[in-house]
Amino acid sequence: MEPEPGLDGTPVLTLLQAYLASTPLPDSGRLPPERELAEALGVSRAELRKALATLEAEGQLWRHVGKGTFLGARPLAAIGDVAQLARQAGADDMLRARLVLEPQLAALAARHATPAQVEAMRAAMEASRRPGLSWRGYEGQDARLHREIAAAAGNPLLLHLFDQLAAIRRVLTWNRPRPQPEGPPPGHPSFAEHEGIVAAIAGGEAAAAQARMHDHIAAVHRIIAAG
């Protein structure tokens, strides 16, 4: 099914992705109300809802009746607390917290992941390589992959901690300059790093999954610090 075009013939999904890639949002990641967003894009609310549903299905945003639409893979619990913690934390704090939590989650995922969960990880990796994906779109799929790994660890308490940390990370990195508007190049190092992590998880190699996740997070933060 071809995507519906906006008033100027541009597909509504493309208009929405361009808007999200170029428009600063509040720390909470909340999008404008549907009526306001539809007017900004020059489309009907029905067309907008279809595009929002597509991005929600890809894990790039979530919606809550009565609260609104938010960028990200999961609802942000205690948004005020997240914003306060983000103001208190720095890049070094985030790196140390991720290195404590996420390698352990990867090791647990190697022990407990089901075939369906591994397939969900691979689907997120494939989506992150989609041609024409913006940096924001790539980051949404990257977040989706890391959460699939956290969920596969099989520990709801650790998953809750991961969600809180991921929410704070989104706030800290939201306004960070991206190296290019069109998204990562085909040789972006995170692609191969993600492949190695998921391969170790799929193979039940807990130590390798832990080490590869540690190295991946450290490498990502080095790139951020250098940029």
Side-chain angles (χ1 to χ4, degrees):
M1 180 177 178
E2 292 295 323
E4 297 187 48
L7 294 179
D8 65 351
T10 304
V12 176
L13 182 58
T14 300
L15 292 173
L16 178 58
Q17 289 173 323
Y19 175 91
L20 294 176
S22 61
T23 305
L25 297 178
D27 286 349
S28 65
R30 188 177 188 273
L31 275 63
E34 282 187 4
R35 185 184 303 277
E36 181 181 332
L37 187 54
E39 290 177 357
L41 299 179
V43 302
S44 71
R45 292 181 71 179
E47 293 167 338
L48 173 63
R49 285 177 183 142
K50 290 180 181 179
L52 290 171
T54 297
L55 294 185
E56 185 176 25
E58 293 181 352
Q60 296 191 45
L61 55 81
W62 64 279
R63 291 181 282 181
H64 191 292
V65 176
K67 290 186 178 181
T69 302
F70 299 83
L71 198 68
R74 292 285 294 177
L76 305 184
I79 288 172
D81 292 341
V82 167
Q84 181 178 359
L85 281 169
R87 286 191 293 270
Q88 295 172 349
D92 288 344
D93 298 315
M94 178 55 62
L95 172 60
R96 285 191 289 268
R98 293 190 72 191
L99 289 177
V100 167
L101 181 61
E102 292 194 58
Q104 295 296 329
L105 289 171
L108 288 170
R111 297 186 179 101
H112 301 295
T114 66
Q117 288 172 322
V118 172
E119 283 307 307
M121 296 173 203
R122 289 174 173 151
M125 286 194 297
E126 182 178 350
S128 74
R129 293 175 178 261
R130 189 170 61 231
L133 196 66
S134 68
W135 269 104
R136 286 260 170 84
Y138 164 75
E139 289 167 358
Q141 296 304 323
D142 175 80
R144 173 186 169 193
L145 170 61
H146 281 260
R147 193 180 191 280
E148 293 288 0
I149 293 170
N155 187 312
L157 298 180
L158 292 178
L159 181 59
H160 175 74
L161 293 177
F162 172 88
D163 282 341
Q164 292 295 96
L165 189 60
I168 295 167
R169 182 162 67 98
R170 284 197 292 271
V171 174
L172 287 174
T173 62
W174 182 256
N175 291 319
R176 178 175 62 84
R178 275 66 177 178
Q180 56 192 37
E182 64 270 21
H188 186 55
S190 286
F191 292 147
E193 292 165 9
H194 286 159
E195 291 281 358
I197 294 165
V198 173
I201 291 172
E205 303 170 20
Q210 180 175 344
R212 289 173 184 175
M213 179 65 82
H214 180 282
D215 291 348
H216 167 60
I217 291 171
V220 167
H221 280 260
R222 281 196 299 272
I223 291 173
I224 293 174

